[in-house]
């Protein structure tokens, strides 16, 4: 409808959307935390909670690394097992067609 003629129905206006993306950089956060810890150690006042957090972080890093290695070794074993099964099936098919 034209803008000069009154209407019984409201026409919707466009909505504006204000979105500000948040970017999380894990390496930057870790670097910032390490800098804070170094500063606290230099000043001589390292809080027990920071020590506990750091210890938990180290443990979780080690556990995740060992879990990753275990998954890699399992996937390598699965690949080898699949290759062995396919080779055995190939030999059986070859024997079936050559002997039979």
């Amino acid at each position: 409808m034209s803008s000069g003629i009154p209407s019984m129905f409201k026409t919707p206006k466009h909505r504006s959307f204000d979105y500000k993306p948040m970017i999380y950089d894990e390496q930057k956060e870790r670097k910032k935390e390490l800098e804070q810890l170094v500063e606290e150690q230099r000043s001589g006042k390292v809080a027990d909670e920071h020590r506990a957090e750091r210890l938990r972080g180290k443990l979780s890093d080690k556990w995740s690394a060992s879990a990753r290695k275990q998954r890699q070794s399992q996937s390598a074993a699965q690949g080898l097992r699949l290759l062995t099964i396919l080779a055995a099936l190939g030999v059986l098919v070859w024997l079936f067609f050559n002997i039979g």
Side-chain angles (χ1 to χ4, degrees):
M1 302 207 158
S2 67
S3 61
I5 302 174
S7 173
M8 193 166 27
F9 302 105
K10 275 189 171 178
T11 57
K13 301 201 187 244
H14 75 282
R15 295 183 188 179
S16 62
F17 187 68
D18 186 24
Y19 174 70
K20 296 175 184 160
M22 295 177 58
I23 299 172
Y24 177 71
D25 189 4
E26 184 178 350
Q27 290 178 343
K28 186 177 179 182
E29 291 291 324
R30 181 174 264 172
K31 183 180 177 184
K32 188 189 234 182
E33 289 176 6
L34 288 175
E35 287 173 353
Q36 280 182 335
L37 286 173
V38 168
E39 186 61 37
E40 287 178 358
Q41 285 178 347
R42 285 184 184 164
S43 65
K45 50 180 175 180
V46 178
D48 289 336
E49 61 189 33
H50 288 298
R51 285 184 183 152
E53 283 181 34
R54 214 169 54 190
L55 195 68
R56 271 189 239 119
K58 286 181 182 178
L59 284 175
S60 67
D61 288 345
K62 286 182 182 180
W63 286 341
S64 65
S66 67
R68 191 178 316 117
K69 286 180 185 176
Q70 186 178 15
R71 279 193 304 266
Q72 287 174 348
S73 66
Q74 284 178 347
S75 66
Q78 285 176 342
L80 184 62
R81 189 177 314 124
L82 179 66
L83 187 63
T84 305
I85 290 171
L86 288 175
L89 285 174
V91 167
L92 286 174
V93 168
W94 182 79
L95 287 174
F96 179 76
F97 284 116
N98 284 338
I99 294 175

